[in-house]
Coordinates of all heavy atoms in Angstrom, one line a residue:
L15 N 5.0 -15.6 23.0 CA 4.1 -15.5 21.9 C 3.1 -14.3 22.2 O 2.6 -14.2 23.3 CB 3.2 -16.8 21.8 CG 2.0 -16.7 20.9 CD1 2.4 -16.5 19.4 CD2 1.2 -18.0 21.0
E16 N 2.9 -13.4 21.2 CA 2.0 -12.4 21.3 C 0.9 -12.6 20.2 O 1.3 -12.8 19.0 CB 2.7 -11.0 21.1 CG 1.7 -9.8 21.2 CD 1.2 -9.5 22.6 OE1 2.0 -9.7 23.5 OE2 0.1 -9.1 22.7
S17 N -0.3 -12.6 20.6 CA -1.4 -12.8 19.6 C -2.3 -11.6 19.5 O -2.6 -11.0 20.5 CB -2.3 -14.0 20.1 OG -1.6 -15.2 20.2
L18 N -2.6 -11.2 18.3 CA -3.4 -10.0 18.1 C -4.5 -10.4 17.1 O -4.3 -11.2 16.2 CB -2.6 -8.9 17.4 CG -1.4 -8.4 18.2 CD1 -0.5 -7.6 17.3 CD2 -1.8 -7.7 19.4
I39 N 1.2 -3.6 15.7 CA 2.3 -4.5 15.7 C 3.6 -3.7 15.9 O 4.5 -4.2 16.7 CB 2.4 -5.3 14.4 CG1 1.2 -6.3 14.4 CG2 3.7 -6.0 14.2 CD1 1.0 -7.0 13.0
L53 N 12.2 -10.5 17.5 CA 11.1 -11.2 16.7 C 11.8 -12.2 15.9 O 12.7 -11.9 15.1 CB 10.4 -10.1 15.8 CG 9.3 -10.7 15.0 CD1 8.1 -11.1 15.9 CD2 8.8 -9.7 14.0
V54 N 11.4 -13.5 16.0 CA 12.0 -14.6 15.3 C 11.1 -15.2 14.2 O 11.5 -15.8 13.3 CB 12.5 -15.7 16.2 CG1 13.7 -15.1 17.0 CG2 11.5 -16.2 17.1
S55 N 9.8 -15.0 14.4 CA 8.8 -15.6 13.4 C 7.5 -14.9 13.5 O 7.2 -14.3 14.6 CB 8.7 -17.1 13.7 OG 7.9 -17.6 12.7
T56 N 6.7 -15.0 12.5 CA 5.3 -14.5 12.5 C 4.4 -15.5 11.8 O 4.9 -16.3 11.0 CB 5.2 -13.1 11.8 OG1 5.6 -13.3 10.4 CG2 6.1 -12.1 12.4
D57 N 3.1 -15.4 12.0 CA 2.2 -16.2 11.3 C 0.8 -15.4 11.3 O 0.6 -14.6 12.2 CB 2.0 -17.5 12.1 CG 1.3 -18.6 11.2 OD1 1.1 -18.3 10.0 OD2 0.9 -19.6 11.8
V58 N 0.0 -15.7 10.4 CA -1.3 -15.1 10.2 C -2.3 -16.1 9.8 O -2.0 -17.0 9.0 CB -1.3 -13.9 9.2 CG1 -2.7 -13.4 9.0 CG2 -0.3 -12.9 9.5
E59 N -3.5 -16.1 10.5 CA -4.5 -17.0 10.1 C -5.8 -16.2 9.9 O -6.1 -15.3 10.8 CB -4.8 -18.1 11.2 CG -3.7 -19.1 11.2 CD -4.1 -20.2 12.2 OE1 -5.3 -20.6 12.2 OE2 -3.2 -20.7 12.8
D60 N -6.5 -16.4 8.9 CA -7.8 -15.7 8.7 C -8.9 -16.6 9.0 O -8.8 -17.9 8.8 CB -7.9 -15.0 7.3 CG -7.9 -16.1 6.2 OD1 -7.6 -17.2 6.4 OD2 -8.3 -15.7 5.1
M65 N -8.8 -11.8 11.5 CA -7.5 -12.3 11.3 C -6.8 -12.4 12.6 O -6.9 -11.5 13.4 CB -6.7 -11.5 10.3 CG -7.3 -11.4 8.9 SD -6.3 -10.4 7.8 CE -5.0 -11.5 7.4
Y66 N -6.0 -13.5 12.8 CA -5.1 -13.6 13.9 C -3.7 -13.4 13.5 O -3.3 -14.0 12.5 CB -5.2 -15.0 14.5 CG -6.4 -15.3 15.4 CD1 -7.4 -16.1 15.0 CD2 -6.4 -14.8 16.7 CE1 -8.5 -16.4 15.8 CE2 -7.5 -15.1 17.5 CZ -8.5 -15.9 17.1 OH -9.6 -16.2 17.9
F67 N -3.0 -12.5 14.2 CA -1.6 -12.3 13.9 C -0.8 -12.9 15.1 O -1.1 -12.5 16.2 CB -1.3 -10.8 13.8 CG -1.8 -10.2 12.5 CD1 -3.2 -9.8 12.4 CD2 -1.0 -9.9 11.5 CE1 -3.7 -9.2 11.3 CE2 -1.5 -9.3 10.3 CZ -2.8 -9.0 10.2
Y68 N 0.2 -13.7 14.8 CA 1.0 -14.3 15.9 C 2.4 -13.8 15.7 O 3.0 -13.8 14.6 CB 1.0 -15.8 15.8 CG -0.4 -16.4 16.0 CD1 -1.1 -16.8 14.8 CD2 -0.9 -16.6 17.2 CE1 -2.3 -17.4 15.0 CE2 -2.2 -17.1 17.4 CZ -2.9 -17.6 16.2 OH -4.1 -18.1 16.4
L69 N 3.0 -13.2 16.8 CA 4.4 -12.8 16.8 C 5.1 -13.6 17.8 O 4.8 -13.7 19.0 CB 4.4 -11.3 17.3 CG 3.5 -10.3 16.5 CD1 3.6 -8.9 17.2 CD2 3.8 -10.2 15.1
Y70 N 6.2 -14.2 17.3 CA 7.0 -15.1 18.2 C 8.4 -14.4 18.5 O 9.1 -14.0 17.6 CB 7.3 -16.4 17.4 CG 6.0 -17.2 17.1 CD1 5.5 -17.0 15.8 CD2 5.5 -18.1 18.0 CE1 4.3 -17.7 15.5 CE2 4.3 -18.8 17.6 CZ 3.7 -18.6 16.4 OH 2.6 -19.2 16.0

Side-chain angles (χ1 to χ4, degrees):
L15 167 65
E16 180 72 37
S17 302
L18 303 166
I39 290 170
L53 181 68
V54 294
S55 184
T56 62
D57 196 11
V58 177
E59 289 188 34
D60 63 346
M65 297 180 79
Y66 281 107
F67 289 79
Y68 299 101
L69 308 175
Y70 301 92

